[in-house]
Amino acid sequence: MTDNDVIVAEGIVKTYDDSGVPVHAVRDIDYTLQKGEFTAIIGPSGSGKTTFLNVLAGLDTPTEGKVWLSGKLISDMSGRELSDFRRDHIGFIFQAYNLFPVLTVEENVEYVMLLQGVPSGERHDRVMDILEKVGIAEYAGRLPMQLSGGQQQRVAVARSMVSRPSLVIADEPTANLDSKTSGALLDMMRRLNEETGMTFLFSTHDEVVMQRARKIVVLQDGKIDGKASPEEC
Amino acid sequence: MFIRLVKFAWKIIWRNFRRTVITGLAVGLGLGSLMFTEALMQGMTAHMIQTTTESWMGDAQIHRDYFLDTRNINPTINRPDSILSMLDGDSTVSFYTARILSPASVTSTTELKPVTFIGVDSETDPEVTMLEAAVIEGSYLSGDSTEIIIGHKLADDLNAGPGDVIVITAAQADSGLSSSMFFVSGICRFGSDNLDRYSAFINLTTAGEMLGIPGEIHEIAVKFPQAEAGADTSLGFWRRFSVFGNSALGWPELAPQVGSMLSMVDISMAIMAVILFGLVVFGIVNSLFMSVFERMYEFGVMKAVGTRTGTITAMVVLEAFWIAVISAVIGSVIGLLIIWITSKTGISFGEIEVSGIVFDKPIYPLLNLSRLRLYPLFTLILTTAAGIYPGIHAGRLNPAEAMRKSL
């Protein structure tokens, strides 16, 4: 493990046993994600992408194996430590945007900073700054339902980045968007990656995302089936 | 952060407007009905105390120590003049009246009935009892030695009316028998079987002479400025007048059945409150769990972005708090409105008798805010507390599982 490693995963196995029949979602994966990467995990539905991301982000515990996040072993952290760690180091983007419907765009974006205890004035400045960057500053006072799908996902991107995490994890971020909006969103995210040096890890089976990723990890039946550049896909 | 959570919780409960309103109404109606029942019970209690003390008993009575145990003719009040003189000078006493009581038989031209034969002071009695006001036919005692007032039921039993002659026969203090003839001067109606069927009222002096105890009395009925003083054991009155072998007793001791009824009312209210608040708690827990299950993904997201377990629990508890506030407001408005209306109109139960007390007049619910304010307070506390369990459940959700299961 080097200082440049954001995530190191060794021998990750995740098995679900909800209905008495074991389902092997992730099988014995070793994986390392380095700072500044803009990587897509691709694979068909049911290949284990979301489960793999959840385990890497500390949202779920692996059945077997170990995960280090920024050099810290997840299994050594208490629930509270892990929660605080995610709050301070990881930004999340979900496929269904998952903004809080009763909060305005500004309130949604500042939520994580509120948890971090950032002072009110600084919160406002940082929210407006990131909303400018994602191009929706004029919608700061609107509720999510008053925005289009693409605009809502921009808000989700702003929310994931405003706390200045070292890693942004996005699970199928373009699943509910048309190809034009998806392309614009990915271009924006890549620009932010280049400007800020933040690490991005996506799961997707969207070609628009694959084309803009700098690295691609192929997942098949819960196992890494290879790594490739976008040109090879 | 806390203020933002409070605002967040307020916005969340209005996401499902219908459920919040229905929950608020359900809890509010329960609270309103409990407040109304409490006010009605207070009204009934006041009516019972009023009927017991104002109609005949007074707020307190003084007797010879063992008179109430035997009700014999001989244990008259010891040193009555001293006692009456002390009562004149006692600032806690509003009015008092002296009485003689004795078992007797009353005979008309057709019937013979057992009665309690009561000698009353026709001048002081109207300040303490309702006898004068209870006369529905004929007239009140004027001081004539041959006049007698009987209850309307006894009049029916004896087939006697105003002007008719009846004969009272009673044992004298020296064990002899004494019979006297009286003219019925008035028929009274108290609404109590004991007074309407089994009592006959004559002048105090006449009673003393007839029983051979002139100048003696069996009972002094006392009225305080407030009837509640009769139940106040800390009052110095009891000590001051329990002297010379006499005892001063308040209405709860004189009419223990009323005291028991009042205790029963308190217990009934407590049971009702426990049942109702129990239902409220389960209703709120159910409502909040529905809300939590509907928002599983949202809670998953909240946990994913770093919201601590305690913060999520606090948010659900705050949602319960807001529902509690809404319910308490709705319930208080409903309860106070019904109480206010019925306190003007009264509620008639027809003519029922409980523990010898007849409820023949409308009952007026009493607006006693010092007690009524406790119910909205309990609603607030219990409904908010009901949010703890769903809140802990929401806080402990595994983020990945919450998002996976709600998809």
Side-chain angles (χ1 to χ4, degrees):
Chain A
M1 194 185 312
T2 67
D3 288 348
N4 215 30
D5 295 339
V6 178
I7 297 175
V8 175
E10 279 181 10
I12 299 300
V13 173
K14 180 67 185 177
T15 305
Y16 292 112
D17 198 10
D18 292 351
S19 54
V21 181
V23 176
H24 304 289
V26 175
R27 302 161 190 252
D28 197 21
I29 293 181
D30 294 326
Y31 177 70
T32 301
L33 179 74
Q34 292 190 316
K35 275 182 189 167
E37 279 192 25
F38 198 77
T39 299
I41 297 173
I42 66 168
S45 292
S47 59
K49 300 189 294 293
T50 299
T51 303
F52 185 48
L53 279 188
N54 285 343
V55 170
L56 293 183
L59 295 178
D60 212 349
T61 47
T63 312
E64 287 176 37
K66 289 178 178 176
V67 178
W68 285 265
L69 274 170
S70 299
K72 291 190 174 180
L73 187 61
I74 286 180
S75 56
D76 280 353
M77 293 188 208
S78 68
R80 190 183 174 120
E81 282 173 338
L82 193 55
S83 191
D84 290 352
F85 186 86
R86 284 198 302 266
R87 180 194 68 195
D88 297 333
H89 296 281
I90 306 175
F92 288 93
I93 304 167
F94 304 95
Q95 73 179 60
Y97 329 132
N98 293 111
L99 302 172
F100 303 123
V102 295
L103 301 183
T104 63
V105 166
E106 183 177 354
E107 288 169 334
N108 263 287
V109 175
E110 75 168 350
Y111 179 78
V112 179
M113 286 193 291
L114 203 65
L115 298 176
Q116 288 175 321
V118 176
S120 169
E122 187 186 338
R123 277 203 314 264
H124 177 75
D125 293 345
R126 280 168 64 177
V127 168
M128 294 319 291
D129 183 52
I130 194 76
L131 288 179
E132 287 283 351
K133 282 183 178 159
V134 299
I136 50 167
E138 68 268 37
Y139 303 133
R142 290 198 187 177
L143 292 172
M145 61 189 282
Q146 295 168 320
L147 304 178
S148 68
Q151 288 166 335
Q152 286 189 53
Q153 199 59 307
R154 280 168 185 263
V155 178
V157 171
R159 180 177 68 182
S160 72
M161 296 182 69
V162 74
S163 59
R164 296 169 185 163
S166 50
L167 168 67
V168 173
I169 289 182
D171 185 14
E172 307 264 10
T174 58
N176 292 331
L177 302 177
D178 60 63
S179 58
K180 191 179 166 192
T181 312
S182 299
L185 185 81
L186 258 295
D187 288 341
M188 182 196 75
M189 289 167 77
R190 183 148 174 176
R191 178 169 49 80
L192 291 169
N193 164 253
E194 286 162 1
E195 285 174 9
T196 62
M198 266 181 215
T199 310
F200 281 75
L201 182 63
F202 307 92
S203 73
T204 189
H205 51 248
D206 183 349
E207 279 189 20
V208 176
V209 180
M210 292 182 218
Q211 284 164 9
R212 284 162 175 81
R214 278 203 287 266
K215 268 190 187 172
I216 288 176
V217 175
V218 183
L219 217 59
Q220 185 75 40
D221 295 330
K223 296 181 95 170
I224 290 180
D225 201 29
K227 293 178 183 172
S229 64
E231 295 76 25
E232 293 167 324
C233 288
Chain B
M1 178 69 188
F2 181 73
I3 300 294
R4 295 298 287 267
L5 272 183
V6 171
K7 288 181 183 170
F8 196 7
W10 172 255
K11 288 179 178 177
I12 285 171
I13 62 164
W14 295 113
R15 272 166 76 175
N16 196 326
F17 180 82
R18 190 182 300 172
R19 183 166 59 211
T20 298
V21 169
I22 290 173
T23 307
L25 273 174
V27 177
L29 281 171
L31 170 63
S33 61
L34 200 61
M35 287 172 74
F36 170 69
T37 309
E38 167 73 31
L40 183 64
M41 291 296 180
Q42 293 272 333
M44 286 179 81
T45 302
H47 179 86
M48 285 172 84
I49 295 170
Q50 191 180 22
T51 305
T52 305
T53 59
E54 285 188 3
S55 63
W56 182 250
M57 185 184 288
D59 301 329
Q61 291 182 353
I62 301 168
H63 308 93
R64 189 68 178 269
D65 277 346
Y66 42 93
F67 173 77
L68 288 177
D69 298 331
T70 63
R71 290 193 179 267
N72 283 340
I73 190 169
N74 286 317
T76 55
I77 288 177
N78 205 15
R79 295 174 61 182
D81 293 339
S82 300
I83 296 289
L84 293 173
S85 160
M86 283 165 65
L87 283 168
D88 281 332
D90 199 294
S91 60
T92 58
V93 175
S94 295
F95 303 103
Y96 67 87
T97 189
R99 296 171 185 156
I100 285 176
L101 302 112
S102 172
S105 64
V106 55
T107 315
S108 68
T109 51
T110 55
E111 293 288 339
L112 184 146
K113 294 286 176 188
V115 293
T116 299
F117 154 63
I118 306 170
V120 299
D121 182 333
S122 61
E123 285 183 12
T124 57
D125 191 82
E127 305 284 8
V128 180
T129 81
M130 300 291 288
L131 176 58
E132 186 177 21
V135 174
I136 52 170
E137 211 178 325
S139 59
Y140 181 62
L141 302 171
S142 65
D144 190 294
S145 62
T146 61
E147 62 194 355
I148 188 165
I149 295 174
I150 58 173
H152 70 104
K153 289 182 179 173
L154 181 60
D156 289 344
D157 291 347
L158 295 172
N159 278 322
D164 289 345
V165 174
I166 57 174
V167 174
I168 296 281
T169 305
Q172 287 189 308
D174 61 3
S175 302
L177 277 179
S178 169
S179 285
S180 293
M181 190 178 73
F182 293 90
F183 292 96
V184 176
S185 62
I187 308 291
C188 64
R189 182 194 181 98
F190 279 96
S192 153
D193 215 36
N194 193 35
L195 293 167
D196 291 342
R197 175 160 279 144
Y198 300 108
S199 299
F201 308 89
I202 64 168
N203 285 293
L204 184 68
T205 315
T206 312
E209 287 167 357
M210 188 179 158
L211 297 174
I213 51 169
E216 302 288 327
I217 48 175
H218 289 121
E219 182 173 283
I220 302 169
V222 176
K223 200 159 177 59
F224 296 122
Q226 302 290 331
E228 289 75 24
D232 182 0
T233 51
S234 66
L235 211 63
F237 173 87
W238 316 114
R239 185 178 37 79
R240 286 197 296 278
F241 289 92
S242 294
V243 289
F244 314 136
N246 302 315
S247 300
L249 301 170
W251 60 260
E253 293 161 289
L254 295 165
Q257 76 278 13
V258 176
S260 305
M261 276 294 292
L262 299 184
S263 303
M264 214 168 75
V265 164
D266 282 345
I267 292 167
S268 304
M269 281 307 297
I271 291 170
M272 270 186 68
V274 166
I275 292 171
L276 208 81
F277 283 128
L279 290 173
V280 163
V281 167
F282 281 112
I284 295 293
V285 168
N286 179 50
S287 176
L288 285 172
F289 260 118
M290 281 167 65
S291 171
V292 165
F293 286 131
E294 276 173 14
R295 290 150 56 205
M296 286 273 272
Y297 200 99
E298 199 171 297
F299 285 121
V301 171
M302 286 176 80
K303 291 216 72 170
V305 301
T307 313
R308 288 178 182 169
T309 301
T311 307
I312 291 177
T313 302
M315 205 177 70
V316 177
V317 171
L318 284 169
E319 289 172 33
F321 167 76
W322 281 123
I323 292 173
V325 170
I326 293 164
S327 306
V329 169
I330 292 174
S332 299
V333 169
I334 292 173
L336 291 175
L337 192 68
I338 296 173
I339 293 166
W340 182 74
I341 292 169
T342 51
S343 69
K344 302 286 175 201
T345 61
I347 299 169
S348 178
F349 289 87
E351 189 168 321
I352 55 168
E353 187 177 331
V354 180
S355 292
I357 295 160
V358 176
F359 291 85
D360 57 347
K361 292 174 190 159
I363 302 295
Y364 294 90
L366 281 183
L367 193 64
N368 181 351
L369 284 177
S370 63
R371 268 186 83 129
L372 284 179
R373 72 182 173 191
L374 293 176
Y375 292 104
L377 192 67
F378 286 151
T379 304
L380 213 59
I381 293 168
L382 288 173
T383 307
T384 305
I388 293 173
Y389 179 42
I392 289 173
H393 181 85
R396 285 184 178 168
L397 287 171
N398 173 293
E401 206 168 311
M403 290 191 278
R404 189 163 58 91
K405 282 189 174 172
S406 53
L407 282 174

